[in-house]
């Protein structure tokens, strides 16, 4: 192909792609302010990890005053990024007052960022209970450092607990970006709206799905492939899907083994054990033991039945 033909193709498609379609315009916020940056949101998570696990993701500082200095530096960087990204995300707030000035938007973003920073000690406390739960539930864990550095559950829960607080503060878009970053890296899909108690652990983790309205108590353990999902959806008179509680409630001290699907607004009573490959759509009382039906061995011979 000659160069002139190639340039014609490029110019034609640049012109076509530069025009915003009606569908594209309808999906964009009404304002023309910058949109949130995924790269900057990643940096927010990194800074929080540096603050919560300072000796693991930064140079170790046994001296408290030196550690305080570095955490202070990270906190200042965190505030700057948070305010900016929250302000950009507020464009997607459907309930917010229209025609707000830039100063008003940034003022609201600053308040939300400060509330998030004020929650960091509690986020740290919860994450260390998750680390403890992973260590206690996994005989393959030789020390806490390996759990913090390498376990996908800790990575996913760090993202989730950051995102959940921002979700509680009604920050749009940013929480979901944060949990999806962990989802793409670990295979663990936790909606930021889910409520998860302390000492939570996921062994292996790949394929776990926890829906938006799920409520999980304390000392709960999941294994790979577990789905805490919706069984069905409700609609209004216009046929619009309603965002109502539709995911399970898991009470304290419950263990759910691999590839179990717990669906609908049902309750798994405390101290229950749900076996692997279970499909469960009804509530079970405390201390239940739900197991798969006995497997049938067909005893195929010479290829029969294949």
């Amino acid at each position: 192909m000659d160069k002139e033909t190639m340039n014609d193709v490029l110019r034609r498609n640049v012109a076509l792609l530069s025009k915003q379609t009606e569908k594209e315009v309808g999906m964009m916020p009404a304002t023309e302010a910058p949109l949130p940056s995924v790269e900057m949101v990643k940096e927010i998570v990194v800074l929080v990890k540096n603050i919560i696990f300072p000796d693991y993701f930064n140079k170790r500082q046994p001296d408290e005053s030196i550690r305080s200095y570095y955490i202070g530096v990270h906190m200042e960087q965190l505030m700057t990024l948070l305010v900016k990204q929250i302000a950009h995300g507020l464009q997607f707030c459907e309930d917010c007052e229209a025609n707000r000035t830039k100063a008003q938007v940034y003022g609201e973003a600053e308040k939300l960022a400060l509330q998030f920073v004020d929650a960091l000690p509690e986020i740290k406390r919860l994450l260390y209970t998750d680390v403890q739960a992973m260590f206690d539930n996994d005989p393959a864990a030789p020390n806490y450092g390996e759990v913090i550095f390498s376990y996908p559950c800790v990575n996913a829960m760090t993202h989730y607990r950051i995102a959940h607080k921002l979700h509680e503060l009604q920050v749009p878009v940013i929480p979901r970006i944060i949990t999806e970053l962990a989802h793409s890296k670990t295979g663990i899909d936790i909606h930021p709206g889910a409520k998860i108690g302390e000492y939570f652990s996921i062994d292996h983790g790949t394929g776990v799905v926890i829906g938006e309205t799920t409520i999980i108590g304390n000392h709960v353990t999941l294994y790979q492939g577990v789905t805490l999902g919706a069984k069905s959806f409700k609609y209004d008179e216009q046929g619009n899907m309603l965002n109502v509680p539709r995911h399970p409630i898991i009470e304290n001290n419950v263990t759910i083994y691999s590839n179990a699907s717990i669906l609908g607004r049902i309750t798994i009573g405390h101290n229950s054990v749900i076996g692997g490959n279970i499909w469960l759509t009804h509530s079970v009382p405390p201390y239940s033991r739900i197991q798969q039906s006995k497997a049938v061995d067909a005893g195929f011979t010479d290829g029969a039945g294949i």
Side-chain angles (χ1 to χ4, degrees):
M1 182 182 293
D2 65 272
K3 192 169 183 179
E4 186 58 34
T5 301
M6 184 183 296
N7 287 337
D8 286 343
V9 171
L10 293 175
R11 281 192 293 267
R12 182 176 72 253
N13 283 283
V14 166
L16 288 170
L17 293 168
S18 298
K19 297 177 181 178
Q20 286 190 312
T21 64
E22 185 177 336
K23 177 69 73 175
E24 186 179 357
V25 171
M27 291 183 176
M28 291 289 286
T31 63
E32 295 183 359
L35 298 178
S37 163
V38 173
E39 291 305 314
M40 291 300 99
V41 172
K42 286 181 183 179
E43 186 61 26
I44 286 169
V45 175
V46 169
L47 287 167
V48 174
K49 289 175 74 172
N50 288 340
I51 291 167
I52 289 176
F53 301 111
D55 291 332
Y56 288 91
F57 299 104
N58 262 326
K59 182 179 179 181
R60 192 169 189 182
Q61 301 291 352
D63 186 280
E64 186 174 330
S65 62
I66 298 176
R67 187 186 302 115
S68 176
Y69 167 78
Y70 281 104
I71 289 177
V73 170
H74 291 139
M75 193 76 78
E76 187 174 353
Q77 294 171 335
L78 176 63
M79 268 298 294
T80 300
L81 285 177
L82 265 177
V83 170
K84 190 172 184 178
Q85 294 308 308
I86 290 174
H88 293 172
L90 285 173
Q91 295 176 82
F92 294 90
C93 177
E94 296 180 358
D95 299 324
C96 293
E97 182 183 346
N99 302 320
R100 291 171 299 167
T101 66
K102 182 178 179 180
Q104 288 173 324
V105 172
Y106 271 80
E108 178 64 19
E110 191 173 87
K111 290 178 184 177
L112 293 169
L114 281 172
Q115 289 179 66
F116 175 81
V117 167
D118 224 15
L120 281 174
E122 175 62 8
I123 293 173
K124 178 176 180 177
R125 185 192 72 80
L126 288 168
L127 281 171
Y128 274 88
T129 70
D130 299 333
V131 171
Q132 186 69 57
M134 282 303 311
F135 180 80
D136 291 343
N137 291 331
D138 188 359
N143 52 67
Y144 294 109
E146 186 166 309
V147 173
I148 293 170
F149 277 128
S150 61
Y151 275 42
C153 176
V154 175
N155 192 353
M157 288 305 294
T158 300
H159 283 71
Y160 158 75
R161 296 213 184 271
I162 294 168
H164 180 67
K165 186 59 193 179
L166 292 170
H167 180 85
E168 283 187 328
L169 294 171
Q170 298 184 339
V171 174
V173 179
I174 307 298
R176 194 60 183 268
I177 293 175
I178 291 173
T179 52
E180 291 302 330
L181 288 171
H183 181 196
S184 64
K185 189 170 184 178
T186 66
I188 299 171
D189 181 2
I190 308 177
H191 192 285
K195 297 178 181 178
I196 301 177
E198 58 189 35
Y199 294 96
F200 179 70
S201 66
I202 307 175
D203 202 357
H204 305 294
T206 307
V208 165
V209 177
I210 301 175
E212 177 188 15
T213 61
T214 304
I215 299 175
I216 297 175
N218 302 327
H219 297 278
V220 170
T221 298
L222 309 182
Y223 285 78
Q224 69 272 15
V226 167
T227 297
L228 304 179
K231 180 185 177 184
S232 59
F233 303 99
K234 294 183 178 180
Y235 300 85
D236 63 18
E237 294 178 354
Q238 288 73 43
N240 300 311
M241 195 176 294
L242 296 172
N243 190 359
V244 296
R246 59 197 180 277
H247 300 101
I249 299 170
I250 312 297
E251 295 185 345
N252 297 341
N253 302 302
V254 169
T255 298
I256 305 176
Y257 283 97
S258 58
N259 299 312
S261 293
I262 317 296
L263 305 179
R265 193 59 163 185
I266 63 175
T267 299
I268 307 301
H270 62 81
N271 296 89
S272 292
V273 175
I274 309 300
N277 300 304
I278 295 294
W279 180 276
L280 193 59
T281 58
H282 64 271
S283 296
V284 299
Y287 297 99
S288 294
R289 297 291 183 271
I290 309 298
Q291 295 178 326
Q292 188 182 29
S293 300
K294 186 176 180 180
V296 176
D297 185 355
F300 294 146
T301 304
D302 297 328
I306 298 178

